[in-house]
Amino acid sequence: MVSSVVMAPSPARAAPAPLPATDLRTAPFFQGIGYSSVWEDERVVELGLRPRPGERALAITSGGCFALQLLLADAGEVIALDFNPHQTALLALKTAALRTLDEAEVWAALGLRPARDRAALYGRARAALAPVDRAYWDARGQVIARGAALAGKQDRYLHAIGRAVTLLQGERRVRTLLEQDDAARQRRFYDEEWNGLAWRALLGVAFSRFVLDRAFDPSHFTYAREGSPAPRFRAAVERLLREVPARENFYLHYLFRRTYPDDRRCPAWLRRGAPATLRARLDRLRPATGDLEAWLAAAPDASVDVFSLSNCFDWMPEERFEALLRDLVRVARPGARLCAWTNLVNTRREPPRGRFPEIVVEDAIARAVDDGCRTPGYSGCLVATVRK
Ligand SMILES: C[S@@+](CC[C@H](N)C(=O)[O-])C[C@H]1O[C@@H](n2cnc3c(N)ncnc32)[C@H](O)[C@@H]1O
């Protein structure tokens, strides 16, 4: 059983009629945890969303990292919304661990560090779970034993890539890559030692539509751009490995090592001191299972300051995207910020010119996020402010 309560936006309003299930929502990919971690560069929170203390935020839950980061920024309320109830259950486990365990134990309980007895750590966190989430996790002892923070389908795809690359390049070269802290030396290393024929062939396979459709689901790419995504991914990975300082890039470490290097180089919510800060604020987090469009349609006017929308626009047709924007403008408070990503495979969605004068696109900020982005996989992010 999963926690599938559709939470009404607060203050309460009539619950919207549920949207008809689309292929996407019923796809096998969503019958489990899709994402254990957010694979969008978290700098978008600070640069793009710019949360201020006391503000009300709506974040697509996914792996929960951004919802927790917004709380860390002292948001007054964070609604963590996802139509996949498994994501809601994962966030419940993470918050239960934060409530009951110390920092090192949180890492160990979730599978990011070895644990002598992970089941015992779960036993302690379990006390802080709601009955529905307790039932969910009690029935998934194997996921707990292997580490819930590694269980997402996307995470497993990334880790499979990490293993294949390590096999191809050898452990020594991977270690050398992860130690790079000088831009010129990293570029030379990539050009002279890393970038060979076999490497390019592996990239072609790992990012082919054939493999992506099996690792995710073809319905993820219903609104795909023309042509093979492999060359776009190859360019993105090349930029990442040549240009983005590898030593500090905890996303790259996660791909190869299935954990983060330390409590400085890791997602904000896990960083030293963050779990203790979060523990005191968890009551401001409202996890909810439900659909973004339905949630916005039912939300009161001018009630949200921050919208963290992941790459949800990738998965909807143009007319639903525009209907969503209309609701978003209505629900936004003056000066609200929104961020959304576009997967490299998908067609980029921008607010149609002239139709949404309230949505002021912040290209310079988006460029700054994109230029420094430490994860491959996106053609870019949209950053905007709602002026009313
Ligand atoms: C869009 S996916 C992409 C994940 C992201 N790129 C990452 O790796 O961090 C993130 C989450 O959005 C949820 N999602 C997608 N469309 C949604 C919608 N319309 N309403 C609610 N949740 C949605 C999915 O269930 C998934 O857990």
Side-chain angles (χ1 to χ4, degrees), residues 271-293:
R271 233 160 269 161
R272 187 178 309 165
T277 305
L278 282 169
R279 192 174 308 140
R281 299 182 182 167
L282 287 172
D283 290 341
R284 300 187 218 159
L285 182 65
R286 315 242 179 282
T289 299
D291 191 276
L292 175 62
E293 293 146 279

Side-chain angles (χ1 to χ4, degrees), residues 35 38-40 60 82-83 87 154 290 292 311-312 315 378:
Y35 307 90
V38 172
W39 188 254
E40 293 150 18
I60 291 295
D82 203 297
F83 67 52
Q87 302 301 145
Q154 175 172 268
L292 175 62
N311 55 314
C312 289
W315 299 359
Y378 304 100

Side-chain angles (χ1 to χ4, degrees), residues 19 24-25 29-30 34-35 37-40 60-63 66 81-85 87 154 158 216 220 290-293 309-316 320 324 341 343 378:
L19 290 178
L24 183 77
R25 270 162 273 197
F29 184 88
F30 297 102
Y35 307 90
S37 55
V38 172
W39 188 254
E40 293 150 18
I60 291 295
T61 309
S62 191
F66 284 8
L81 181 73
D82 203 297
F83 67 52
N84 182 353
Q87 302 301 145
Q154 175 172 268
L158 294 170
F216 294 85
H220 276 79
D291 191 276
L292 175 62
E293 293 146 279
L309 302 179
S310 185
N311 55 314
C312 289
F313 297 160
D314 283 349
W315 299 359
M316 59 183 68
R320 271 178 44 203
L324 184 152
W341 296 78
N343 189 290
Y378 304 100

Side-chain angles (χ1 to χ4, degrees), residues 262-343:
D262 50 47
D263 62 7
R264 185 179 60 79
R265 292 172 294 169
C266 59
W269 73 276
L270 278 169
R271 233 160 269 161
R272 187 178 309 165
T277 305
L278 282 169
R279 192 174 308 140
R281 299 182 182 167
L282 287 172
D283 290 341
R284 300 187 218 159
L285 182 65
R286 315 242 179 282
T289 299
D291 191 276
L292 175 62
E293 293 146 279
W295 192 93
L296 285 172
D301 297 356
S303 55
V304 175
D305 302 286
V306 170
F307 299 87
S308 172
L309 302 179
S310 185
N311 55 314
C312 289
F313 297 160
D314 283 349
W315 299 359
M316 59 183 68
E318 186 68 31
E319 57 285 6
R320 271 178 44 203
F321 168 59
E322 290 192 31
L324 184 152
L325 289 185
R326 271 193 294 279
D327 269 325
L328 188 144
V329 167
R330 182 183 59 72
V331 170
R333 287 188 179 138
R337 283 81 60 208
L338 80 95
C339 289
W341 296 78
T342 305
N343 189 290

